[in-house]
Amino acid sequence: MMLAQVEERKSEIDVLGIVIADDQDRERTWLRELFTKHLSNQTPIYEAEDGQKALELVREHKPPVVFLDIEMPILSGIKSAESILKEFPQTGVIILSNHSDEIFVRKLWKLVPSDGAFGYVLKDSTDQQVID
């Protein structure tokens, strides 16, 4: 699920927001600025620096979409995604990673419900690739 597909759920996102979780401030800033540019100014954007905080933000705000770094302290993106999808199976999960190895994608795909939404974005993707 890429940002273009998120457009279908735009009214939900405008109200409920997006969670961005990455232990690197630079990556959170990049995504926050990208979403601020392409979504409504009123769209809440919640940020976490670890997977546990991301899970807490999802429980609190119930956003339709969450962006998770695959490797984070306390709770990894994979473990966080697993918990989020168990509790909120309709939440779209987009994993951010430096790993282009297909094994990570396969591992994550097994966690996603059959009617769930899932995406895998490399951190060196261009803004346009994330939007598309």
Side-chain angles (χ1 to χ4, degrees), residues 19-24 28 48-55 66-81 84 95-96 123:
V19 170
I20 300 169
D22 197 305
D23 58 329
Q24 296 179 25
R28 290 193 315 272
E49 52 284 327
D50 63 65
Q52 182 61 43
K53 179 67 174 166
L55 181 56
V66 59
F67 286 76
L68 300 168
D69 180 16
I70 200 166
E71 294 181 59
M72 291 184 287
I74 303 175
L75 191 64
S76 72
I78 293 172
K79 292 291 186 188
S80 183
I84 290 167
I95 296 292
L96 305 165
K123 287 186 176 184

Side-chain angles (χ1 to χ4, degrees), residues 78-96:
I78 293 172
K79 292 291 186 188
S80 183
E82 186 174 16
S83 295
I84 290 167
L85 290 169
K86 278 183 184 173
E87 293 182 42
F88 306 97
Q90 295 306 313
T91 301
V93 173
I94 299 175
I95 296 292
L96 305 165

Side-chain angles (χ1 to χ4, degrees), residues 107-131:
K107 187 174 186 179
L108 291 161
W109 191 252
K110 292 177 184 176
L111 303 176
V112 181
S114 59
D115 61 343
F118 165 74
Y120 193 90
V121 176
L122 293 174
K123 287 186 176 184
D124 63 359
S125 297
T126 65
D127 289 358
Q128 191 58 49
Q129 288 171 319
V130 175
I131 302 276

